[in-house]
Amino acid sequence: MFHNHLMVLLAITACIILVSCNANPIPGHQATELVSESPDSLSTPDDPTNTDEPTNITTTLVAATDQPVLITGEFEYTNSIITDYYVEHAVALVDMNGFVERDQEWDIPLESQTLGFLDINPEAMSGSFWLQLPAQPTGTMVNLDPANPAAAGVQVFAISYWPNLTGGPYSEGDDRSQGWPAYLASIRADTENDDEIIGGKLVVWAPDAMQSFPSSYGPDELLFTDDDPLQTLPAGYSVIDLDTDPFTIIRDSEASLTLYEPEDVAIKNFADLSYTEAFDQMFEQVRREYAFNGIEGKEPDWDGLYDTLAPRVAEAEDQNDANLFYAALVDFTDGFRDGHVGLNGGSLSTDYLVERAIGGYGLALRELDDGRVLVVYVGPDTPAETAGMEVGAEVTAFNGMPVSEAIDAVQPPIGPFSTDFGKRYEQVRFLTRTAPGNTAEITFVHPGDSPETVTLTAEQEIDSLFVTDPLSNADPNALPVEFRLLDSGVGYVRINSNYDDLNLIIRLFERALKTFEDNSVPGIIIDMRYNSGGAPLGLAGFLTDETILSGQREYYSDQTGQFEPEGPRERVWPNENQYRFNSMVLLVGQSCYSACEEESYGFSQVPEMQVVGLTPTGGVYAEVARGQYRLPEDISLQVPTGRSTLPDGSIFLEGVGVVPDIRIPTTEEVVLAEAGEDIVLQQAESVVLQGSL
């Protein structure tokens, strides 16, 4: 329930529990991703006596041996987001006033934060920590006794995972935190009920032995409400065990606490079940929680899917055939119109693709906006070259069908897809993919010549497949952000990935802006075309001093049986350091997915920003951290569970993407450009230069 560095998520895209002013992938830790708005009916103390600033008051001296002075503990986790996105790890003593007040946008004061050491073992997916309590904390004083408004009150803390997103080690400035922690925290939170505390341990400090604290949950089963029964705390620190009734007061000098991974973020592990048991349990949960249930054109035909696939899964189990099981799961994912639904079966995936796509004819195709389908690649010593096909030839028919109809019939083995244009692109790519030995009759015509029809026999080759891969220009070894000055003087920055060290991404991007500013560039181009997602960071906050609002996260609630908003509406906050340029262009494309799209949306809302591209972004936008499954045969499945909506109720970004203001048509010039020549970038550069005049 944090709106800070752990909020960048979730996220994700992944998509989502600490929080940063921009966004964060830790599930439930960032207000924009996993926190919830408190309903008006939420019961809170009628007249809590507290202050937003840490308070210094007279205290009773307590011997260190009579109270906790050191907090230690261990934890385990199943979701690797903390090591995927962060390299600077810590724990913190976190002021819980935000929870006492049920204020998810309460800024955690810098002065109240005390950091501790944390050690993570990524292989074991576990960690340990220690934190020395300050002699006198500087958190927020809260009076938990409604009958005694004059009471000094206590300070309430949790221990929480506290990584560094950007800047210094503390959460402040561009890396502020809001609300309260619910991810890898010493308390357990109910994500179905506004992250209400339902267990775990708190660290509480009392200035004297006359302050009250709840002894258990009251009749409303909520903590820190008027019906809580009270007990008196001893002076100094106490650790309160919320899993006992009444709550236990722990005064050991070294207190041990556990950090909890929320159950909804933990990977759903059905790997040890039979095929049918795993499929049935997975299907039931996915059917209930899928993010786009109730959305026309998005919700699968659940009954039809199950009736078709359950017998196939049972057959795979009877035959003990992992490939049959995997093939049934592929068809399960193809029942969605959602590019976030994904399946990874390791060698099973490889075998599946090899069987269907390892063969080719040695040519690659692209479809133009005018409907023509051109040959854009012919491999040396391939069936296509032997038949006399050349780059630039137009294919008019395939296996006796008009080529457009033949493309329509292709079922790409790498789906599903959120958009028609995304699916169409892959249908064109896989039209010429098959098993070696299969034949195809292709009719083509070279410019100025008569049509020819040839029969080609597929052979094992993959070069023609990868030449039109939308991510063929992506370098997996590149830094997540690269930048340079173009010959024209325009500043060019390419954000290759949001799935990396988030601190590094932010620092590199700001370094680019600072370099461009120092060189007085006429304008900048931000290239997001080859970024397949990760964690949104709100980088647009460097370019505007206005808050940018986006979608409202929603999740299915078992309690209400419908999708409910969780947390405040997502937004990009202005950064403390601001940069301005006379002309700005955002380059987008269909390979920009998920968190890349949220990042791109933020950029698109910066005043004077122009969006340029051949297509919109991929239109693949949902939260997936809560929809991770492990199935038998070491198969992993991902299904979105969180969606974002706009105030009018429409879905944010999914199926639409960030649409170019200036759409570059897919022409012969574009698809036949020489290797290394980027026509779209050249067009964007012209737009920048014209805008700088």
Side-chain angles (χ1 to χ4, degrees):
M1 183 122 226
F2 258 12
H3 184 84
N4 171 8
H5 34 276
L6 297 182
M7 192 177 131
V8 178
L9 175 96
L10 191 164
I12 60 208
T13 292
C15 26
I16 320 177
I17 294 189
L18 276 174
V19 283
S20 131
C21 67
N22 296 326
N24 195 322
I26 299 229
H29 209 118
Q30 173 177 3
T32 62
E33 290 199 295
L34 297 183
V35 293
S36 334
E37 295 233 348
S38 12
D40 293 339
S41 60
L42 187 62
S43 175
T44 56
D46 293 333
D47 184 25
T49 302
N50 61 13
T51 64
D52 288 338
E53 298 297 329
T55 304
N56 294 321
I57 63 173
T58 302
T59 64
T60 300
L61 294 178
V62 182
T65 55
D66 295 334
Q67 63 176 325
V69 295
L70 177 66
I71 303 294
T72 62
E74 298 179 346
F75 62 93
E76 296 179 346
Y77 60 96
T78 64
N79 197 315
S80 64
I81 51 179
I82 60 174
T83 51
D84 290 341
Y85 292 116
Y86 298 101
V87 297
E88 299 177 19
H89 306 285
V91 291
L93 184 70
V94 181
D95 192 332
M96 292 292 286
N97 180 64
F99 175 75
V100 176
E101 291 295 306
R102 290 353 189 242
D103 183 355
Q104 297 166 5
E105 298 185 77
W106 182 73
D107 287 329
I108 309 297
L110 168 63
E111 297 82 359
S112 72
Q113 299 170 37
T114 299
L115 300 183
F117 176 78
L118 182 143
D119 181 46
I120 292 180
N121 183 336
E123 289 74 26
M125 300 190 81
S126 63
S128 59
F129 63 91
W130 56 263
L131 183 147
Q132 292 180 317
L133 296 172
Q136 179 171 323
T138 53
T140 306
M141 299 298 298
V142 292
N143 180 6
L144 301 175
D145 184 358
N148 184 11
V154 297
Q155 297 180 30
V156 183
F157 302 93
I159 305 297
S160 178
Y161 175 62
W162 203 256
N164 183 37
L165 176 63
T166 185
Y170 292 93
S171 182
E172 47 91 23
D174 290 341
D175 190 16
R176 63 184 177 183
S177 290
Q178 295 180 319
W180 60 94
Y183 179 83
L184 288 183
S186 63
I187 52 92
R188 292 183 291 109
D190 182 1
T191 56
E192 285 278 313
N193 186 24
D194 297 321
D195 277 351
E196 286 289 332
I197 294 177
I198 57 174
K201 293 178 180 177
L202 291 168
V203 178
V204 181
W205 180 85
D208 52 45
M210 297 182 293
Q211 305 306 315
S212 297
F213 190 87
S215 60
S216 67
Y217 301 99
D220 64 4
E221 299 183 348
L222 301 176
L223 187 62
F224 302 143
T225 55
D226 287 351
D227 64 357
D228 291 347
L230 299 177
Q231 61 184 331
T232 301
L233 292 182
Y237 285 105
S238 299
V239 171
I240 309 297
D241 187 345
L242 305 176
D243 292 320
T244 62
D245 188 10
F247 298 157
T248 301
I249 300 174
I250 300 170
R251 298 282 287 181
D252 298 339
S253 60
E254 179 177 331
S256 178
L257 280 67
T258 296
L259 305 186
Y260 297 96
E261 179 183 58
E263 291 184 5
D264 61 345
V265 177
I267 293 176
K268 287 70 177 171
N269 191 351
F270 304 141
D272 294 332
L273 303 179
S274 68
Y275 290 174
T276 53
E277 290 172 332
F279 179 78
D280 286 350
Q281 291 190 34
M282 175 276 292
F283 192 96
E284 180 182 358
Q285 185 162 356
V286 171
R287 179 174 187 162
R288 182 175 64 252
E289 298 179 354
Y290 176 55
F292 299 107
N293 279 340
I295 305 300
E296 185 177 356
K298 298 292 291 185
E299 183 173 4
D301 176 6
W302 297 112
D303 291 338
L305 267 181
Y306 188 82
D307 291 346
T308 299
L309 297 177
R312 291 175 54 189
V313 173
E315 179 185 5
E317 182 171 301
D318 290 342
Q319 298 184 22
N320 194 27
D321 191 323
N323 287 294
L324 284 180
F325 180 53
Y326 181 80
L329 293 173
V330 170
D331 289 345
F332 170 73
T333 62
D334 282 340
F336 294 78
R337 194 171 186 269
D338 188 335
H340 256 134
V341 177
L343 193 65
N344 184 357
S347 62
L348 293 171
S349 298
T350 302
D351 293 345
Y352 184 88
L353 286 171
V354 165
E355 180 181 348
R356 291 158 178 78
I358 195 63
Y361 307 103
L363 75 156
L365 306 175
R366 287 288 302 274
E367 187 174 33
L368 309 185
D369 283 355
D370 62 15
R372 289 184 295 148
V373 176
L374 299 188
V375 176
V376 297
Y377 169 85
V378 175
D381 301 320
T382 60
E385 185 186 58
T386 301
M389 299 183 74
E390 298 177 358
V391 170
E394 178 185 354
V395 173
T396 58
F398 192 90
N399 282 337
M401 300 172 62
V403 68
S404 181
E405 294 181 18
I407 293 169
D408 290 340
V410 174
Q411 181 60 50
I414 60 170
F417 306 91
S418 290
T419 63
D420 291 337
F421 65 80
K423 180 177 181 179
R424 184 71 177 185
Y425 188 92
E426 296 300 338
Q427 287 176 307
V428 173
R429 287 185 70 214
F430 282 91
L431 175 67
T432 56
R433 308 307 304 178
T434 186
N438 288 343
T439 61
E441 183 183 86
I442 303 176
T443 300
F444 66 96
V445 57
H446 290 125
D449 288 350
S450 300
E452 301 178 55
T453 299
V454 297
T455 298
L456 305 182
T457 301
E459 61 183 23
Q460 183 169 319
E461 61 89 14
I462 59 173
D463 289 345
S464 63
L465 176 63
F466 290 119
V467 75
T468 54
D469 184 343
L471 289 172
S472 60
N473 288 324
D475 179 359
N477 299 311
L479 286 169
V481 178
E482 299 176 300
F483 62 93
R484 69 180 190 272
L485 298 181
L486 302 180
D487 291 342
S488 63
V490 170
Y492 172 77
V493 55
R494 175 166 155 169
I495 304 177
N496 293 311
S497 177
N498 279 52
Y499 189 78
D500 207 305
D501 175 354
L502 301 182
N503 184 296
L504 178 63
I505 294 172
I506 295 170
R507 287 188 288 116
L508 286 173
F509 183 71
E510 185 173 14
R511 172 71 67 87
L513 299 182
K514 183 68 167 60
T515 299
F516 299 156
E517 184 181 74
D518 291 345
N519 282 272
S520 302
V521 298
I524 64 170
I525 297 170
I526 302 172
D527 193 346
M528 302 291 288
R529 289 177 294 169
Y530 309 108
N531 181 331
S532 56
L537 291 166
L539 298 174
F542 284 112
L543 299 171
T544 178
D545 57 6
E546 299 293 331
T547 300
I548 299 171
L549 294 175
S550 54
Q552 170 64 58
R553 190 75 73 187
E554 295 181 348
Y555 294 89
Y556 177 80
S557 168
D558 285 326
Q559 295 182 359
T560 66
Q562 59 189 14
F563 280 81
E564 301 288 353
E566 182 168 300
R569 188 175 172 188
E570 296 167 323
R571 65 200 68 190
V572 174
W573 302 88
N575 285 70
E576 292 184 341
N577 294 338
Q578 291 283 308
Y579 300 87
R580 296 292 181 269
F581 303 96
N582 292 332
S583 184
M584 295 178 290
V585 162
L586 172 69
L587 273 180
V588 297
Q590 63 179 337
S591 295
C592 173
Y593 302 140
S594 192
C596 174
E597 301 190 71
E598 183 173 342
E599 202 75 73
S600 296
Y601 178 80
F603 285 131
S604 75
Q605 300 304 297
V606 172
E608 309 304 323
M609 182 72 73
Q610 296 189 81
V611 183
V612 175
L614 289 170
T615 70
T617 59
V620 183
Y621 187 73
E623 195 279 314
V624 298
R626 303 183 187 186
Q628 304 296 320
Y629 296 83
R630 287 191 185 132
L631 302 174
E633 307 297 349
D634 201 26
I635 296 172
S636 298
L637 172 71
Q638 171 179 283
V639 181
T641 59
R643 66 194 188 194
S644 287
T645 60
L646 295 173
D648 63 3
S650 62
I651 298 298
F652 178 62
L653 289 178
E654 171 66 27
V656 178
V658 178
V659 179
D661 302 314
I662 302 173
R663 184 179 175 277
I664 307 300
T666 302
T667 63
E668 190 169 338
E669 177 191 16
V670 170
V671 302
L672 297 180
E674 295 182 4
E677 185 179 13
D678 191 337
I679 300 296
V680 177
L681 176 58
Q682 293 173 12
Q683 297 266 11
E685 188 176 11
S686 296
V687 172
V688 169
L689 294 173
Q690 291 171 8
S692 67
L693 298 178

